[in-house]
Amino acid sequence: MHDYPDLALHIAGEWRTTAETLPVVNPATEAEIGRVPVATADDLDDALAAATDGFAVWRRTSPRDRADLIRDAAALLRDRRDEIAADITAEHGKPLRQAELEVIRGCEFFEWDAGEAVRTYGRVIPSAPGVSYVVHHQPIGPVAAFSPWNFPMSQPARKVAGALASGCSIILKAAEETPAGARHIVQAFVDVGLPPGVLNLVSGVPSDISAHLIPDDRINLVAFTGSTNVGRHLTGMASEHMTPVLMELGGHAPVIVCEDTDVEAAAVSSAIRKMRNAGQVCTSPTRFFVHESIYERFLQVFTARAAETVVGDGTEPGVEMGPLANDRRIAAMEHLVADARSAGAAVVTGGNRIDRPGYFFEPTVLAEVPDTAAVMQTEPFGPLAIVNPVASLDEAIEKANGVPYGLAAYGFTNRADYVDRMVDGVEAGNLSINTLEASLPETPFGGVKSSGYGREGGAEGLAHYTVVKNVSHSIQIV
Ligand code: NAD
């Protein structure tokens, strides 16, 4: 029997339990496996005070020392990979191997941002003798961060890495459905000696926590990953206080499959990637626009591979896709499939909840989906792909851009002129050609349009956690 960790808040360097708790459920069995604490207003006030104190210490810690400590914590997390992955599979359902890779990715985020900590360069502006103008990048201050349930380890890792590398303190609200990854992150930083108050962990009722933290003047940045609706709401709250935001929101990624591509390879690779994390990924390839000359073959190979996906409990060997995170996702999928069918789409494979305990849903392929179907505009956030024919690249680009989102987009082609047109025309923060990898620690990740604001990772990643201060200095009083 897997030993799921005890969960607690972490405030001012101390673990803290609460009177009220919420259940954590294994989505593969629907059994309760733990209880996550519900922070009170007093707990949140204590976290705000702690983050203020922690910032005073951490901002004056040298970037090199910050980087060393972040790397030490990442090394511990790598050592604890098996234990963390088992906890993630228990609370989220993803296959164990995918959970292990997620832990490694989280460590890579820490390691990348640790390297960037010593590279938040300012600049010297040319000036007259006796005068200097120096631009500094200083840590912005305490951050309120909200991470989602789809990547319980790597998503909180991204936010903690950015804040700590920049010299900020942070109050992290991890997802109540999947709190173990954040707990392990905090434990690793406790073990390597992070000063109290620099990293605080809270959980509870998300709307209560955001309504308490965001309007507080001590919070200088709001960092959120989740749905566009919630992101819009939090951005509105932050704007009342002129607090900047970093928003990683929804996507509805298009895939443009050109006629010159290797159809079979593109179809197999796409079907495997679509079902990763049961499609609960903001960059999941979802809207396939396939040139009509290769459409039938693509649909056939894609559907066959999707239907072959081994679905089951993520602890079982050979399983490729686990359950959805909760019954809300099942209801959303059932609604989108029924709506698409009534709009005239063909359900080529799947479309149903799997008849067993847990929130399992069949890998689903919809073909010839009319623009009027809700799924053409609504991110399914599940194991569902839309495969539609197009007559030209221009039509594909127009369809790709026909949603409010612009996070990830993909293309399959070997033609340089097609790539050039996609780079120019596709509205997305991340465009990947002949690969379905949208984001790495060293590449900047984020959206355009309603997919959010700001970038995480890459050389751009720490920009949002810092503020620019220009210092003009004249040796003589003028
Ligand atoms: P939701 O919109 O209820 O919640 C999304 C996330 O926001 C959750 O982590 C939740 O805890 C948090 N949240 C909700 N209300 C909040 C508030 N007032 N203050 C602070 N945090 C709040 O949706 P859901 O059913 O949990 O997830 C489904 C949708 O969320 C999907 O359709 C997808 O678009 C989106 N989502 C996106 C990502 C991503 O990586 N961009 C991750 C998870 C979920």
Side-chain angles (χ1 to χ4, degrees), residues 148-150 206-207 210 224-227 230 249 282 328-329 379 381:
W149 45 260
N150 55 342
S207 53
S210 55
F224 172 77
T225 298
S227 62
V230 175
L249 307 177
C282 49
R328 293 194 307 281
R329 299 297 340 129
E379 176 186 26
F381 222 67

Side-chain angles (χ1 to χ4, degrees), residues 146-151 155 173-177 205-211 214 224-230 233-234 237 248-251 280-283 326 328-329 378-381 405 407:
F146 302 84
S147 62
W149 45 260
N150 55 342
F151 290 99
Q155 290 280 7
K173 188 202 82 63
E176 286 69 24
E177 295 94 333
V205 179
S207 53
D208 290 353
I209 295 175
S210 55
I214 293 174
F224 172 77
T225 298
S227 62
T228 295
N229 279 345
V230 175
H233 170 63
L234 301 190
M237 237 194 294
E248 299 291 356
L249 307 177
Q280 301 166 121
V281 188
C282 49
T283 58
N326 50 50
R328 293 194 307 281
R329 299 297 340 129
T378 307
E379 176 186 26
F381 222 67
Y405 302 106
L407 191 58

